Amino acid sequence: MNHVGTVSTQTTRPNLNKNNKKSLWVRIWQHRLFYLFMLPGIVWFFIFSYIPMYGLTVAFKDFNFVGGITGSPWAGLKYFKEFFQFYQSKEIIRNTLTISLMKLVIGFPMPIIFALLLNEVKALKFKKVVQTISYLPHFISWVVVVTILQRMLTPYGGPVNEFISSLGFDKIQFLGSLSYFYQVIILSDIWKTVGFGAIIYLAAISGVDQQLYESAKMDGANRFKQMWHITLPSIRPVMVIMFLLACGNIMTVGYEQLLLLNTPATASIGTVLDVYVIQSGLEQGRISYGTAVGLFQGVIGVILIIVANSISKKVNETSLW
């Protein structure tokens, strides 16, 4: 009897596996149009994100243009050690973490707050106008944004300093002062990203069940209590996902903004890893060294997002995977 039972289970398991495989391919065929729409994105990521990973081997080689990537001799961890022995490496890492954490703490809640406030606006036309104006800066290049800031904040005829001077105060060197550098960086980043970031949260808010609001009204909840007890808990999974993605970018503060706004007067707090990689790799021609610093930056980002995802998965059961 035991022999028969064993045979029966062994004969049924392959059938189950075949059925599972068959059902998988059947489901793929049934939804083939959706997979077809995914194909361009998959091809794009493969060409521009995965194939270039081969170039990371440059970080472990003494790269020269004659031998290329394959013909350059191996150098091991030489350039990683060189970066950590560099006298300004700790300062550069500290600057990167300081600006990133400031953007995360101050800048991350801004799209959520803006989306919540915009959702409370009942005048549809006014709401659309405000939303359109708010996300237009996202499409403006940092070159244009920095040029506008320079024209607005310059002490030599800039409207901001002219207004300060008219009040009887001394003109302020905003872009060349250590006291105002962080404020300019954070506020300009919020101005550029808050509207576009709010689109995601507005989409999540639009999916909240309206019956919950009606029930809350019947219980006597005002608009603020509805927002606090219904809207925010409903969009919490989206907020967690966006926060996890933001954690993965802690080591990248955006090289365009810092490269253009940083000056010799603010270099002590404005030189970050993104800018240092560009300066050492492209301006100085140290390709292997710049690649090593960039690889270190990327590895730390991956570790941070894995740790943050694991913590989030245990705490509130929301995660990226």
Side-chain angles (χ1 to χ4, degrees):
M1 293 296 292
N2 293 333
H3 179 71
V4 174
T6 305
V7 172
S8 62
T9 54
Q10 290 177 348
T11 55
T12 54
R13 285 178 182 175
N15 292 332
L16 290 173
N17 293 331
K18 289 181 180 179
N19 291 332
N20 290 332
K21 291 180 180 179
K22 184 178 180 181
S23 62
L24 174 63
W25 289 108
V26 168
R27 290 197 302 270
I28 292 176
W29 178 252
Q30 289 175 345
H31 303 288
R32 58 188 179 277
L33 291 178
F34 295 103
Y35 287 100
L36 188 62
F37 280 116
M38 290 172 57
L39 186 61
I42 295 173
V43 172
W44 186 91
F45 273 103
F46 181 75
I47 294 175
F48 295 103
S49 296
Y50 287 94
I51 292 179
M53 285 185 180
Y54 175 72
L56 295 175
T57 56
V58 173
F60 305 94
K61 292 188 173 186
D62 281 319
F63 178 79
N64 61 79
F65 290 99
V66 177
I69 297 178
T70 56
S72 299
W74 290 97
L77 300 176
K78 169 186 174 182
Y79 294 106
F80 293 95
K81 294 178 181 178
E82 183 177 343
F83 171 68
F84 288 111
Q85 292 172 356
F86 179 50
Y87 74 100
Q88 285 186 323
S89 61
K90 293 182 180 178
E91 179 181 298
I92 294 172
I93 295 173
R94 185 183 67 245
N95 294 340
T96 303
L97 291 175
T98 301
I99 296 176
S100 294
L101 291 175
M102 290 178 68
K103 285 185 176 182
L104 186 64
V105 174
I106 302 173
F108 179 78
M110 292 302 172
I112 302 173
I113 297 171
F114 183 69
L116 292 172
L117 294 176
L118 201 59
N119 183 63
E120 297 300 320
V121 177
K122 299 304 177 184
L124 190 59
K125 290 184 179 179
F126 178 75
K127 181 178 179 179
K128 288 183 177 179
V129 170
V130 172
Q131 187 175 359
T132 302
I133 294 174
S134 65
Y135 72 67
L136 281 178
H138 173 79
F139 302 99
I140 301 176
S141 170
W142 271 114
V143 177
V144 178
V145 174
V146 172
T147 303
I148 294 173
L149 287 174
Q150 291 172 344
R151 298 293 184 270
M152 294 287 291
L153 301 178
T154 178
Y156 308 106
V160 175
N161 270 298
E162 289 298 322
F163 177 73
I164 293 174
S165 179
S166 67
L167 297 177
F169 299 101
D170 295 332
K171 294 183 178 181
I172 301 172
Q173 184 67 262
F174 288 101
L175 298 180
S177 173
L178 296 176
S179 302
Y180 295 95
F181 182 74
Y182 286 145
Q183 290 89 323
V184 173
I185 292 293
I186 302 303
L187 292 177
S188 61
D189 183 74
I190 291 174
W191 175 78
K192 195 174 187 301
T193 59
V194 66
F196 193 81
I199 294 176
I200 299 173
Y201 299 107
L202 284 170
I205 292 172
S206 64
V208 179
D209 190 356
Q210 296 300 313
Q211 293 181 358
L212 296 175
Y213 293 106
E214 295 176 1
S215 300
K217 288 179 183 178
M218 294 177 64
D219 292 337
N222 57 26
R223 299 287 290 276
F224 179 79
K225 288 184 177 179
Q226 292 175 34
M227 179 181 66
W228 186 261
H229 295 288
I230 297 176
T231 307
L232 278 175
S234 298
I235 66 172
R236 185 174 61 183
V238 177
M239 294 165 55
V240 171
I241 294 298
M242 297 303 296
F243 181 78
L244 292 176
L245 294 175
C247 288
N249 293 324
I250 282 180
M251 298 299 289
T252 57
V253 297
Y255 76 93
E256 290 178 320
Q257 182 190 21
L258 272 298
L259 185 65
L260 295 169
L261 283 175
N262 195 20
T263 62
T266 59
S268 60
I269 62 173
T271 302
V272 295
L273 285 170
D274 292 317
V275 175
Y276 186 65
V277 168
I278 298 296
Q279 290 175 343
S280 59
L282 297 181
E283 294 181 6
Q284 300 175 13
R286 304 178 66 192
I287 305 297
S288 296
Y289 182 75
T291 305
V293 178
L295 180 58
F296 160 74
Q297 186 180 5
V299 169
I300 296 300
V302 171
I303 293 173
L304 287 173
I305 199 170
I306 291 174
V307 172
N309 186 76
S310 301
I311 295 173
S312 175
K313 194 172 184 180
K314 293 179 180 179
V315 173
N316 54 25
E317 298 182 353
T318 302
S319 60
L320 293 171
W321 61 83

